[in-house]
Amino acid sequence: MKRLSLALVSLAAIGLAMPIAASAQDKVTVEFWTMSLKPKFTPYFQNLVKQYEAANPTVKIEWVDVPWDVIQSKLTASIAAGQPPALVALNVPWAYEYSLNGVIQPVDGLFGKDIGLYADGAIKDVTFNGKAYGFPHYNGASILAYNKTLFAKAGITKVPATLDEQLATAKTLKAKTGQAGFSPALGKIAGVFMQEGLPLVENNKAVFNSPKHVAMLAKFADAYKSGALLKDNLFAEDNFQTSIDAYKSGRLGQLVAPPSALTRVRDDAKDIYAVTEVAPAPLSASKIAAGGWLFHFAVPKGISGPTLAEAGKFGKFVTNDVNQVEFSKLAGTFPTTKKAAQDPFFQSLKSDAGAFEKGVATGARSLDSIRTLYVAGVPDYEVLNKRLQDATEAAVIGRKDIKVSLDEAAAFWNTKLAAK
């Protein structure tokens, strides 16, 4: 009997000394959705899950990658069925609409003091009505590339830091070198207005025919008349390709684009790449730089209790400094935490660093100024935007008086808005 008692005590002691693995029933499951990241990022996320589960044995992580064109409908269906993911990757415009409709929930309580680790611009992007609605994951950023030879020929010694300076530089480049100096995306005039702090709609009425809006278009019209603006696809919805082609051929003095665009200059036009220098993208009057398009992980409604708590921990893990740097290396994107942006991958430049490497470092230093600009809450926006684009083209090329053109477009908008 004594032996038996001792054996039982010994087994009990061993049980106390050995960690007990959590059963499947005891584990908290955190399902998270990414958007169109397979197969390129499969090893990355599989490793991420493996690391997290090893460090958190009471948590089971399930990764689901959903094509971008069905993720919204799939999310809606999962919420209706009472089985939403704990985290879902969203862009900012979608998240804004979802926050208004209660589809996603604030995560301020899950952030805690860690909210200060993220770039100011990233947190502003996911903050609606004073509450944060997601864990910032990755972002875009543009830089200003310019042709040093053309700048020197034109006698330009100061790199433009604002839109006004950029337009003035463009006019000087045209006058002194004969080449266009700037290629603004006037087909996206709504975004240009917003970047400069000029609203499109207030109190359900179009306001883009104000004196400030008219004055801005007048600046573009003046530059257009002088030949300073590249006319190739100037009013198209997307003039990115034509702008790069013009820069590669030496027909454009300034290019605002993501650093990755410079790899095309490097590969296709080595002579132009050799005389390319970079600087931060000019800031608007509202201190916003171009190029932001943030993706983040939001928490759908219906997630609560232990699952909500674990979703917060995993959301911070996926978007921490180390993991963001590794993702950026694979994706060619920019991180959204302050420390990650200072990582040697972005900032340690070799003595022979080219324009691309300099562009990456420059973009990483501008993250607090990067914002995602979008139009929200405007019904039939595509129809309305086309009318504004047409009005902008007529005004800038001089086919119609600027104020008259914007007044007519605003009247069209107001008729449509009043009918909704």
Side-chain angles (χ1 to χ4, degrees):
M1 291 296 294
K2 289 183 178 179
R3 286 185 179 180
L4 179 59
S5 298
L6 288 172
L8 289 172
V9 170
S10 298
L11 286 172
I14 293 172
L16 289 172
M18 294 178 63
I20 300 175
S23 67
Q25 291 81 2
D26 295 332
K27 290 187 177 183
V28 176
T29 298
V30 174
E31 181 178 327
F32 77 104
W33 293 3
T34 55
M35 190 189 308
S36 295
L37 293 184
K38 283 187 175 181
K40 180 176 180 179
F41 298 95
T42 296
Y44 171 81
F45 281 106
Q46 286 178 339
N47 184 56
L48 215 61
V49 169
K50 184 178 180 181
Q51 286 182 37
Y52 193 81
E53 289 183 338
N56 299 271
T58 60
V59 180
K60 177 175 177 55
I61 302 296
E62 293 184 355
W63 172 43
V64 179
D65 189 62
V66 184
W68 70 269
D69 56 342
V70 300
I71 194 168
Q72 288 183 285
S73 59
K74 187 175 176 66
L75 177 61
T76 301
S78 71
I79 292 175
Q83 297 178 323
L87 293 163
V88 57
L90 297 175
N91 61 40
V92 176
W94 291 353
Y96 172 75
E97 296 292 342
Y98 283 153
S99 71
L100 293 181
N101 296 320
V103 175
I104 57 177
Q105 56 182 298
V107 296
D108 302 78
L110 300 177
F111 265 124
K113 64 181 181 180
D114 291 336
I115 197 168
L117 301 177
Y118 297 83
D120 294 344
I123 293 300
K124 289 177 181 177
D125 263 1
V126 298
T127 299
F128 315 121
N129 295 319
K131 297 180 179 180
Y133 278 84
F135 301 94
H137 188 207
Y138 62 94
N139 210 341
S142 289
I143 48 88
L144 173 67
Y146 61 94
N147 187 312
K148 293 186 295 183
T149 299
L150 292 179
F151 267 52
K153 187 176 180 180
I156 300 170
T157 57
K158 183 179 184 298
V159 180
T162 66
L163 176 61
D164 284 349
E165 291 177 0
Q166 198 169 16
L167 288 170
T169 297
K171 292 199 295 185
T172 301
L173 283 166
K174 180 63 178 179
K176 298 296 182 66
T177 71
Q179 304 299 338
F182 185 26
S183 179
L186 293 185
K188 298 177 181 176
I189 190 61
V192 177
F193 280 151
M194 288 189 293
Q195 188 177 344
E196 290 296 314
L198 300 178
L200 298 178
V201 176
E202 289 183 341
N203 300 318
N204 205 42
K205 294 191 69 174
V207 295
F208 53 74
N209 56 337
S210 78
K212 290 184 177 180
H213 291 79
V214 171
M216 171 170 283
L217 281 198
K219 295 175 183 178
F220 284 116
D222 179 60
Y224 181 89
K225 186 176 181 179
S226 72
L229 304 185
L230 180 72
K231 296 183 179 180
D232 304 11
N233 286 343
L234 180 60
F235 302 100
E237 184 69 29
D238 184 2
N239 66 344
F240 181 67
Q241 183 60 55
T242 53
S243 297
I244 292 179
D245 289 344
Y247 186 83
K248 289 191 301 184
S249 66
R251 296 189 297 113
L252 182 64
Q254 305 174 86
L255 176 68
V256 176
S260 58
L262 295 180
T263 62
R264 296 168 63 175
V265 181
R266 179 194 63 199
D267 297 340
D268 300 341
K270 289 181 172 53
D271 56 333
I272 299 298
Y273 186 76
V275 298
T276 294
E277 190 53 85
V278 298
L283 292 179
S284 66
S286 54
K287 304 302 180 184
I288 294 176
W293 194 255
L294 179 80
F295 281 84
H296 64 282
F297 286 104
V299 179
K301 74 173 184 178
I303 300 301
S304 61
T307 303
L308 178 62
E310 294 298 343
K313 294 176 185 177
F314 185 69
K316 289 190 286 187
F317 172 76
V318 175
T319 60
N320 69 21
D321 302 320
V322 173
N323 290 329
Q324 287 215 33
V325 170
E326 290 306 309
F327 184 84
S328 294
K329 289 178 180 179
L330 292 171
T333 56
F334 286 98
T336 60
T337 63
K338 297 173 182 178
K339 187 175 179 180
Q342 298 304 315
D343 188 87
F345 173 74
F346 296 105
Q347 302 299 344
S348 295
L349 293 175
K350 298 179 180 179
S351 58
D352 60 346
F356 167 66
E357 290 77 15
K358 293 178 182 178
V360 170
T362 300
R365 288 194 294 268
S366 68
L367 293 184
D368 279 342
S369 301
I370 297 295
R371 295 296 306 278
T372 300
L373 299 175
Y374 58 99
V375 178
V378 177
D380 296 331
Y381 176 68
E382 289 186 5
V383 174
L384 298 179
N385 187 46
K386 181 62 169 63
R387 186 67 180 80
L388 177 57
Q389 290 172 328
D390 292 343
T392 298
E393 181 174 2
V396 170
I397 69 175
R399 190 168 64 232
K400 187 175 290 188
D401 176 80
I402 298 173
K403 182 68 167 68
V404 171
S405 191
L406 290 181
D407 280 345
E408 291 176 352
F412 179 83
W413 275 51
N414 287 334
T415 299
K416 295 289 187 181
L417 292 173
K420 296 297 180 180

